[in-house]
Amino acid sequence: MTFAVFFVVVLGISWRLQPRPVAWKLFLLGASYVFYGWWDARFLLLLAVSQVGNTIGGYAIARAPSEHARKWAVRLGVAGNLALLGFFKYYGFFVETLVSLLRPLGLAPTPLLIEIALPVGISFFTFCAISYLVDIGRGKVRPANVLDVSLFLAFFPHLVAGPIVRASEFLPQLRRPARADSVDATRAARLIGRGLVKKVIVANVIAQVLADPVFGSPGAYGNFDILAAIYGYAIQIYADFSGYTDIAIGAALLLGIKFPDNFDRPYTAVSLQDFWRRWHMTLSRWLRDYLYIPLGGNRGGERATYRNLVLTMVLGGLWHGASWTFVVWGTYHGAGLAAERWLERRHREDRPLTASPRLAALREQLGFGPPPPAVEERADGTVILEDPPLVPERTPSPWLARLWVFHFVAIGWVFFRSETLSGALTLLGRLFTAWHGPEVTTLAVGLAIAASLAAQYVPARVGLWAEWRVSHLPPVVQAIGFALVLLACNILGPQGVAPFIYFQF
Amino acid sequence: MTSTRPSDRRSTRRPAPPARPPAAGARRAEPREADDVTRSDPHHGRRVRLGMPAMTAWKATLGSIVLFALLASGSLVKSARGQEEGWQRDVLLGTARGIDRVSNLLALNRPLDWANGLLDREDVEPAIEFPPVTVAPPSTPSTTLPRIVSATDPLRVGIYGDSQAKDLGRQLIQLAAGDPLMTWAEHGRVSTGLARPDYYNWPARLQELLATEDRDVIVFMTGSNDSQTLQDREGNAVAAVGTPEWEEEYRRRVAGLMDLVNNGRHRLVWVTVPLVGNSKLAPTMALINRIIRDQAATRSWVTVADAEPLLAGPNGEYVDYITPDGKAPARCRRSDHVHLTLACLDILAEHVLGAFRDAFPRADATTTTVPSASTTAPSNSEEADQPG
């Protein structure tokens, strides 16, 4: 409710000030500082340092006297941002690993073991800043003044948990503000309402009833609950994060700023690559453009491509948190993407996996070899061996592919959610060993999971059609409808709403 | 709120140019969320979302929030009560109470009350009268011998308290997983304590839980959220933190809660608050722990599981990392310097389990030490518990 009051005040004043660009931007920047300071005022200075530093960095890159100098300026700027992120986010991880490595030698630097508080949203605004500097270096963006850069990095709807907006998407909207006579309020209301339903009802109910207890005590539940919790967490993290994104995009839209989409029904993906085009899309494209492609992308041959894929996903995993569980999660997805690419290549070259001589030999060794050739003995005593008829390769059904991708991703979430690797392995081990019926899985939660999965398959045009219909209703009716959505969230959501998962990243 | 006829309003976007025909054999792409209907789906013709003027959008947003506030005024008051102390809370609470009065007057909050009734929720915390505290509490509860726990009549443990209790509860359940002689129930509630019965009245809730759940052992842990002004059930300030009145009132509440459990059937294991890495909170946490120890010392049905020294540094000071005997240093607190990591929860859970497990003889007599104190007779409760 506090945010609602804050937002209504900001919304009214923002549109009033919009005809005066400097005052408008200063006001939005001030509002963003209030928003951030409400979370943790200690790090406002850090945010300001990042804003000023990146403004200076942007000008330095643009005015570099030579290409060589420009490259070094970009590297310096990126390194500065990474140093900031690294210190606050990875210091503890680095020192803990160092201590555990040096401890057997009696050289453990235990005095270095101190806890560094993590500034909210640092991963997001640092990635925005890096993209800004690199894009200037690539000549895609012109450097902006300190006010525009500051607002780009700190604009409150995307400050703490994305989406990771690019300067090329954001800065032009500051130079040419949206029309005040035609705000896309219906879409904004739908996004905010949908986001609240996802977060307050779906994510919180699943978290409180199922996912938190099971992942919190991985050794205490039977495989029915564990399986339900794995499915449940897949839905919870989607509902939580995409719910936040919906609210952020909707809030920005009401303020006249358009953000890119961040989710596109990811559990309908038919391949892992497809999944990453639908899940946290702004992070995926960031990793592609600022990590995978600079690493060489697919330009260095197949092996280099696999290496780059795995490396990109490992670093993407580490971006989520300084923990080995995220490293494993990233490696798991990187290996999955590489394997998928390898299989696709073989298929393209008309060498499907089933045709692999090694696999055929292995199958034979295991007694699963191809059917023996037909033997025909002729009257003259000659023996003719006929190869078994070739079974044509069948294109897998998209539904089988979806099922496979969903389960691959859901298993990956176990590492993402678990606090420790041993906890994740315990959970996965008990999935196959702890035969037990439901203890915490209720019918309501099961239905919530099933309905949320089914909702992924509702065509986007249905929502667009609903928006179109609602947009023709008088604003007062729309306002009443929105109030009723808020009331439904209040009634159906559990008491005590947990913070958004992605705030911790 | 102003309303304009659809024909008066302008469209959100200009009509897009006709879409390029798809390549032969290509499937028509599903429209993306951000696309507008005209651009992405030419088969639907000129279906264009209508926008509204910015000030109309603002009034609609304001109107919907005001309407929601009126419809859910009770939740609003409760939410405002849950805020941290300060002028923001005062403003929010004052506003929420004003809205609640208007809503009451117009009966606008009836639908929410009805829905809350259906879901068995309350916006107003229940009241409670503490049992009278005797000057010298009885040294032992005057009841029966400790009962023998068995697979058919396992030890029933309830874990209650704040977020720290929730975390501890999960770790206890994990630790005792596979022990058929124990069943568990965890009823933690985040952001709660003994300071704010207007937000969550633990004594009243505990009384309800004791009546509905037959527990042998009550593990209780709160205090992390109590470094604030003590309030009564109506939200009135009773004593400011740091004053002698605060200490006196908190002592009364701790004692009252301990005495609530003194019915001869329950053993109360009160877990003290681990040291926190916040110099503003630390003195109050130390005082709370002292009060808990003092009060428990005179009540034989209460056992203190002292987390404070257990999770402290070599000199009893706050540390982010602890080094368990013969093991590698382990991070003990999360980034808020209050909540415990899994490594430290493990250590604490071991300690808490040790505080009561051996007090109950086991039918298999493998790990039993029969104490001189006494608790309860076997119960026939058949509730669906968490397996140990």
Side-chain angles (χ1 to χ4, degrees), chain A residues 258-314:
Chain A
K258 279 183 75 174
F259 282 170
D261 275 351
N262 215 16
F263 290 89
D264 181 21
R265 296 167 298 145
Y267 293 137
T268 63
V270 292
S271 67
L272 269 183
Q273 195 182 24
D274 188 21
F275 173 79
W276 282 105
R277 284 181 184 144
R278 294 165 175 271
W279 177 274
H280 204 173
M281 290 144 70
T282 55
L283 175 67
S284 297
R285 67 179 191 174
W286 194 100
L287 293 173
R288 182 196 63 203
D289 292 348
Y290 303 108
L291 193 57
Y292 177 69
I293 291 175
L295 280 171
N298 57 5
R299 298 190 300 275
E302 278 300 308
R303 286 186 183 214
T305 305
Y306 301 146
R307 181 202 64 206
N308 294 339
L309 274 173
V310 173
L311 206 55
T312 301
M313 294 311 291
V314 170

Side-chain angles (χ1 to χ4, degrees), chain A residues 180 183 187 217 219 461 493, chain B residues 33 41 52 54 58 121 170 174:
Chain A
V183 177
R187 158 161 282 273
S217 306
R461 70 188 70 232
Chain B
E33 286 278 300
D41 193 358
M52 58 177 85
W58 178 70
R121 284 183 186 170
R170 285 180 194 146
Q174 162 98 347

Side-chain angles (χ1 to χ4, degrees), chain A residues 49-389:
Chain A
V49 166
S50 172
Q51 290 165 329
V52 174
N54 283 296
T55 308
I56 295 169
Y59 281 120
I61 292 165
R63 291 172 187 175
S66 65
E67 189 60 28
H68 183 71
R70 175 189 290 245
K71 276 186 179 170
W72 274 103
V74 171
R75 284 175 191 156
L76 199 66
V78 171
N81 278 296
L82 289 178
L84 203 68
L85 183 65
F87 175 73
F88 283 100
K89 192 156 181 173
Y90 302 105
Y91 174 87
F93 179 63
F94 173 73
V95 173
E96 278 174 35
T97 308
L98 195 68
V99 166
S100 62
L101 285 175
L102 296 180
R103 194 170 160 267
L105 307 174
L107 300 170
T110 44
L112 295 177
L113 286 169
I114 51 168
E115 181 75 34
I116 305 286
L118 180 68
V120 176
I122 189 170
S123 305
F124 291 93
F125 69 72
T126 303
F127 268 33
C128 285
I130 290 173
S131 77
Y132 170 67
L133 297 181
V134 174
D135 282 354
I136 292 175
R138 288 174 179 171
K140 291 182 177 174
V141 171
R142 281 181 299 152
N145 62 44
V146 69
L147 181 56
D148 285 10
V149 173
S150 298
L151 190 51
F152 163 57
L153 294 181
F155 186 51
F156 71 88
H158 79 82
L159 175 58
V160 292
I164 302 171
V165 185
R166 290 184 181 182
S168 57
E169 293 161 339
F170 190 87
L171 294 177
Q173 299 188 68
L174 296 184
R175 293 177 195 130
R176 289 187 303 278
R179 287 162 46 186
D181 60 350
S182 184
V183 177
D184 200 355
T186 309
R187 158 161 282 273
R190 178 187 165 222
L191 285 169
I192 296 172
R194 186 175 74 178
L196 286 170
V197 169
K198 283 182 188 171
K199 167 62 186 170
V200 178
I201 301 176
V202 179
N204 282 331
V205 167
I206 293 175
Q208 287 194 12
V209 176
L210 183 62
D212 284 355
V214 174
F215 279 95
S217 306
Y221 293 88
N223 55 0
F224 189 97
D225 283 330
I226 290 173
L227 187 65
I230 291 173
Y231 289 151
Y233 186 70
I235 296 299
Q236 185 205 334
I237 190 168
Y238 167 72
D240 189 289
F241 189 25
S242 74
Y244 174 82
T245 300
D246 283 347
I247 295 168
I249 296 174
L253 197 56
L254 276 177
L255 288 163
I257 302 283
K258 279 183 75 174
F259 282 170
D261 275 351
N262 215 16
F263 290 89
D264 181 21
R265 296 167 298 145
Y267 293 137
T268 63
V270 292
S271 67
L272 269 183
Q273 195 182 24
D274 188 21
F275 173 79
W276 282 105
R277 284 181 184 144
R278 294 165 175 271
W279 177 274
H280 204 173
M281 290 144 70
T282 55
L283 175 67
S284 297
R285 67 179 191 174
W286 194 100
L287 293 173
R288 182 196 63 203
D289 292 348
Y290 303 108
L291 193 57
Y292 177 69
I293 291 175
L295 280 171
N298 57 5
R299 298 190 300 275
E302 278 300 308
R303 286 186 183 214
T305 305
Y306 301 146
R307 181 202 64 206
N308 294 339
L309 274 173
V310 173
L311 206 55
T312 301
M313 294 311 291
V314 170
L315 291 171
L318 259 179
W319 175 85
H320 285 86
S323 157
W324 289 107
T325 52
F326 290 114
V327 174
V328 170
W329 177 74
T331 311
Y332 173 81
H333 271 278
L337 282 167
E340 192 176 85
R341 190 182 169 89
W342 180 71
L343 286 171
E344 265 175 25
R345 187 172 65 95
R346 289 187 68 95
H347 196 78
R348 248 193 344 265
E349 293 169 355
D350 212 14
R351 291 191 303 135
L353 189 62
T354 44
S356 156
R358 282 185 194 169
L359 188 70
L362 182 68
R363 282 165 61 97
E364 261 183 82
Q365 279 172 12
L366 296 172
F368 297 111
V375 179
E376 187 189 341
E377 192 169 352
R378 289 186 174 167
D380 60 358
T382 54
V383 174
I384 295 191
L385 299 178
E386 286 181 8
D387 282 339

Side-chain angles (χ1 to χ4, degrees), chain A residues 1-2 4-5 7-9 11-13 15-16 38 92 96 99-100 103 110 113-118 179-187 190-191 194 208 212-213 216-221 253-254 258-259 261 263-265 277 281 322 417 419-420 426 436 439-440 458-465 467-468 471-476 478-480 482-484 486-487 490-496, chain B residues 1-4 6 9-14 28-37 39-41 44 46-65 67-69 71-72 75-76 78-79 83 87-88 92 111-112 115-116 119 121-123 169-171 173-174 177-178 189-190 199 318 320-321 323 326-329 331 333-335 337 341-342 385-388:
Chain A
M1 196 63 196
T2 312
V5 173
F7 183 71
V8 166
V9 172
L11 182 65
I13 298 176
W15 281 110
R16 286 278 179 205
W38 201 283
E96 278 174 35
V99 166
S100 62
R103 194 170 160 267
T110 44
L113 286 169
I114 51 168
E115 181 75 34
I116 305 286
L118 180 68
R179 287 162 46 186
D181 60 350
S182 184
V183 177
D184 200 355
T186 309
R187 158 161 282 273
R190 178 187 165 222
L191 285 169
R194 186 175 74 178
Q208 287 194 12
D212 284 355
S217 306
Y221 293 88
L253 197 56
L254 276 177
K258 279 183 75 174
F259 282 170
D261 275 351
F263 290 89
D264 181 21
R265 296 167 298 145
R277 284 181 184 144
M281 290 144 70
R417 170 64 179 81
E419 286 196 43
T420 60
T426 303
H436 208 286
E439 296 287 340
V440 286
V458 175
R461 70 188 70 232
V462 174
L464 294 171
W465 174 82
E467 278 177 9
W468 168 72
S471 76
H472 285 74
L473 297 172
V476 68
Q478 294 187 44
I480 291 170
F482 187 68
L484 292 177
L486 295 179
L487 187 68
N490 184 278
I491 292 169
L492 295 175
Q495 292 177 318
Chain B
M1 185 176 302
T2 59
S3 160
T4 51
R9 282 177 265 146
R10 295 190 187 183
S11 65
T12 306
R13 297 180 180 84
R14 289 190 213 99
R28 191 155 51 83
E30 183 71 26
R32 276 273 168 84
E33 286 278 300
D35 297 339
D36 70 37
V37 178
R39 188 181 305 159
S40 62
D41 193 358
H44 283 73
R46 291 173 55 79
R47 284 182 178 173
V48 181
R49 272 194 308 278
L50 295 181
M52 58 177 85
M55 280 300 118
T56 307
W58 178 70
K59 286 172 190 168
T61 308
L62 179 65
S64 60
I65 288 170
L67 180 59
F68 166 70
L71 292 171
S75 302
L76 217 60
K78 185 158 187 170
S79 166
Q83 301 281 322
W87 65 267
Q88 296 100 325
L92 279 175
L112 184 68
N116 280 339
L119 295 170
R121 284 183 186 170
E122 292 167 3
D123 277 336
R170 285 180 194 146
Q171 216 54 25
I173 292 168
Q174 162 98 347
R189 179 72 185 253
V190 296
Y199 178 66
Y318 170 85
D320 285 326
Y321 288 79
T323 309
K327 291 183 184 171
R331 191 147 59 97
R333 266 66 169 200
R334 292 191 215 157
S335 54
H337 304 281
T341 60
L342 273 184
D385 273 352
Q386 180 74 48

